[in-house]
């Protein structure tokens, strides 16, 4: 989906 | 990973190294808000709870460990080693006003209602406003050492670079993290005033001074 957490970001 | 995010992270890394260099070279933490630094330590500890059970990459792991360790080390330097050089009477921003609303927002907006996820949201909202005690202190004293302004500029650049990173990710990965993006835009906006003075004064070789 379009809205998702970007958990690879710091 | 894209170049915007890579340079953003490197700018974040640089800001911490500049801050350590400022403390070391002037043997003082004058002009640095202890409250802001304590908020950053809180941000990293509450955000990186996944450090031990969610593996992303070696890059991600190393950076997380560095941000937690360096923020705690800076608190140690300010609280113990250079304690006499810190003046609490000018570092008076009420952090309750930042912690409370961040906690409420985290309870309202999160990706899953679990302890680590709510802490993650909390850290995102708190990071957005954690610079306020520092900017408030700057406003109060009306001036700053040049090296301190370089620290703030590198920190602001890190946040600013995350915005093109999100735009790039939207087009290439078809993905948006609404919590991180909203908080990130607010956080970057808080630096606009500072950047204006930084570009028009410090980078022209003048001292950072706010109009009386």
């Amino acid at each position: 989906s379009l809205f998702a957490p970007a958990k690879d970001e710091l | 990973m894209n170049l915007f995010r890579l340079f953003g992270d490197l700018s974040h890394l640089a800001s911490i190294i500049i801050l350590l260099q400022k403390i070391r070279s002037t043997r003082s933490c004058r002009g640095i808000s202890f409250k802001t630094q304590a908020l950053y330590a809180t941000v990293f500890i509450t955000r990186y709870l996944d450090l031990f059970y969610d593996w992303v990459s070696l890059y991600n792991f190393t950076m997380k460990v560095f941000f937690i360790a360096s923020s705690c080390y800076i608190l140690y330097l300010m609280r113990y080693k250079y304690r006499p050089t810190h003046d609490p009477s000018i570092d008076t921003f009420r952090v309750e006003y930042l912690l409370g609303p961040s906690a409420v927002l985290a309870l309202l907006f999160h990706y899953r209602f679990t302890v680590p996820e709510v802490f993650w949201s909390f850290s995102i909202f708190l990071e957005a406003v954690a610079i306020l005690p520092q900017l408030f202190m700057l406003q109060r004293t009306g001036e700053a050492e040049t090296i301190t302004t370089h620290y703030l500029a590198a920190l602001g650049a890190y946040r600013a670079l995350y915005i093109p990173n999100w735009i790039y990710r939207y087009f290439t990965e078809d993905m948006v993290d609404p919590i991180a993006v909203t908080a990130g835009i607010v956080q970057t906006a808080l630096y606009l005033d500072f950047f204006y003075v930084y570009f028009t004064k410090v980078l022209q070789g003048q001292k950072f001074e706010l109009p009386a």
Side-chain angles (χ1 to χ4, degrees):
Chain A
S1 66
L2 177 63
F3 294 119
K7 286 303 180 63
D8 54 337
E9 292 185 355
L10 290 159
Chain B
M1 177 58 81
N2 57 62
L3 283 179
F4 298 117
R5 184 144 57 96
L6 178 64
F7 282 109
D9 290 343
L10 291 179
S11 185
H12 192 188
L13 219 54
S15 77
I16 294 168
I17 291 164
I18 295 168
L19 176 59
L20 288 168
Q21 181 56 28
K22 176 257 170 321
I23 296 173
R24 189 198 302 258
S25 66
T26 63
R27 299 196 56 78
S28 153
C29 51
R30 191 167 68 90
I32 304 296
S33 163
F34 180 82
K35 290 183 173 178
T36 281
Q37 297 306 320
L39 291 177
Y40 280 132
T42 310
V43 163
F44 297 134
I45 291 165
T46 52
R47 184 176 308 166
Y48 301 151
L49 291 173
D50 63 358
L51 194 56
F52 300 101
Y53 59 84
D54 239 345
W55 181 263
V56 178
S57 63
L58 182 63
Y59 171 84
N60 188 276
F61 179 85
T62 313
M63 293 293 247
K64 284 174 173 172
V65 171
F66 178 80
F67 291 135
I68 293 178
S70 60
S71 61
C72 293
Y73 177 60
I74 288 162
L75 287 187
Y76 156 77
L77 289 178
M78 296 190 77
R79 196 81 168 81
Y80 298 101
K81 195 158 184 210
Y82 297 107
R83 190 187 181 114
T85 63
H86 178 252
D87 183 0
S89 69
I90 52 167
D91 190 13
T92 51
F93 194 93
R94 300 285 295 268
V95 289
E96 308 82 294
Y97 296 150
L98 306 179
L99 290 167
S102 298
V104 172
L105 284 172
L107 288 169
L108 293 173
F109 304 100
H110 45 256
Y111 290 112
R112 277 187 304 159
F113 193 60
T114 61
V115 172
E117 286 289 329
V118 173
F119 269 119
W120 180 85
S121 269
F122 170 74
S123 82
I124 295 286
F125 294 124
L126 186 62
E127 187 191 349
V129 291
I131 198 64
L132 285 175
Q134 177 66 61
L135 294 176
F136 183 71
M137 198 166 147
L138 214 62
Q139 193 72 246
R140 257 189 93 143
T141 53
E143 54 164 36
E145 287 165 332
T146 301
I147 191 163
T148 303
T149 66
H150 293 329
Y151 159 66
L152 286 168
L155 200 56
Y158 142 64
R159 291 318 309 183
L161 283 163
Y162 259 64
I163 294 176
N165 154 63
W166 290 319
I167 296 170
Y168 182 86
R169 293 192 85 171
Y170 169 72
F171 287 111
T172 57
E173 298 168 42
D174 215 18
M175 195 207 72
V176 175
D177 180 334
I179 295 178
V181 171
T182 313
I185 290 171
V186 170
Q187 186 172 0
T188 309
L190 295 180
Y191 283 90
L192 291 178
D193 244 21
F194 166 79
F195 270 130
Y196 177 77
V197 183
Y198 185 74
F199 282 114
T200 56
K201 286 210 168 168
V202 181
L203 291 187
Q204 314 294 327
Q206 299 171 41
K207 197 173 158 31
F208 184 94
E209 267 175 326
L210 298 173

